[in-house]
Amino acid sequence: MAGAPIGDVGRDESGVSMFFAVQRLLTDADLAYFYTDLLLNSPTTVKRAMDRQGIVKSTAYKYANELAELGVAEERDEYEDGAALWTVEPVVGTWETETGELVVSPVIIAVYGASTANDDIAYFRERYGDAALLNAVGETDAYLRGEQTRRGIAAALDVPAAAGIAVSQAIEAIIGRISPVDPAFPNHGDDVHERTIADAPYVVDA
């Protein structure tokens, strides 16, 4: 069922537990979306995040403070237009699913968060569940490496061709946008067309 925990969280390669960060980010799509926006634009202010995401001040500070409590965001003693700058660290951990261990990193978190902003991802998550959505990220990565086809993605996920194709196209745009800032995911920034990346539901400040 969409929104339910996918499995058990492990530790990242440095041995530092990311249990709570990964758990929260993969069970709260709104928080995952906010985290991704801050990561892409770090350092940034909460005010600029509010403008990019169209959310109110109370919600933005609630999410920022929660990320700080999780140890993945920090309010710096530096300012822009009178507002404090925030920095966000890439979250990398592991997540035990029914099909095996999944490496959780910014691309995975961004796709999960995008279910709040992209209709194709929202539909796929609601219809087929969180695990299938996150497995679609790996299949789309294989497609970008020339090892999979769009229809092959659908077959691997055991979903109708139209659903598999639509979600992989949406995920491709996110991979193109996020993978350059993801230390644990192949960098496909040059493999995805700029027009496709422009369709990703995340904005980078000029």
Side-chain angles (χ1 to χ4, degrees):
M1 179 180 296
I6 303 168
D8 298 321
V9 181
R11 292 176 177 269
D12 66 4
E13 294 179 355
S14 68
V16 179
S17 176
M18 282 288 174
F19 180 89
F20 292 111
V22 172
Q23 183 182 55
R24 284 295 295 131
L25 290 168
L26 287 188
T27 53
D28 187 334
D30 289 316
L31 183 64
Y33 186 87
F34 185 86
Y35 161 82
T36 302
D37 174 82
L38 259 64
L39 177 66
L40 270 177
N41 292 282
S42 183
T44 189
T45 65
V46 172
K47 174 64 169 63
R48 290 178 73 87
M50 289 166 51
D51 294 340
R52 288 189 299 268
Q53 300 179 45
I55 58 177
V56 298
K57 181 178 180 178
S58 59
T59 299
Y61 274 99
K62 171 190 171 184
Y63 289 152
N65 289 328
E66 182 167 1
L67 292 175
E69 291 173 2
L70 290 170
V72 299
E74 180 182 6
E75 184 178 14
R76 298 167 57 173
D77 191 22
E78 298 178 41
Y79 298 86
E80 178 183 278
D81 298 328
L85 287 167
W86 287 71
T87 55
V88 173
E89 296 297 324
V91 170
V92 179
T94 57
W95 190 262
E96 295 295 334
T97 74
E98 295 178 356
T99 58
E101 186 176 85
L102 173 72
V103 176
V104 177
S105 63
V107 165
I108 292 286
I109 295 165
V111 170
Y112 182 74
S115 64
T116 67
N118 179 278
D119 289 341
D120 290 323
I121 292 177
Y123 170 81
F124 190 92
R125 180 186 172 214
E126 177 66 27
R127 181 69 177 82
Y128 303 107
D130 291 342
L133 174 62
L134 301 187
N135 286 335
V137 178
E139 295 297 332
T140 305
D141 172 46
Y143 168 80
L144 290 170
R145 287 186 278 110
E147 300 172 1
Q148 183 59 287
T149 65
R150 295 285 192 198
R151 290 186 177 275
I153 291 173
L157 299 173
D158 194 24
V159 301
I165 292 170
V167 80
S168 69
Q169 289 174 332
I171 290 172
E172 179 182 346
I174 294 171
I175 289 175
R177 176 75 81 194
I178 308 298
S179 63
V181 297
D182 187 331
F185 199 90
N187 187 346
H188 290 295
D190 293 332
D191 302 327
V192 181
H193 198 282
E194 290 181 2
R195 288 197 298 269
T196 300
I197 294 175
D199 290 334
Y202 294 101
V203 177
V204 178
D205 281 340

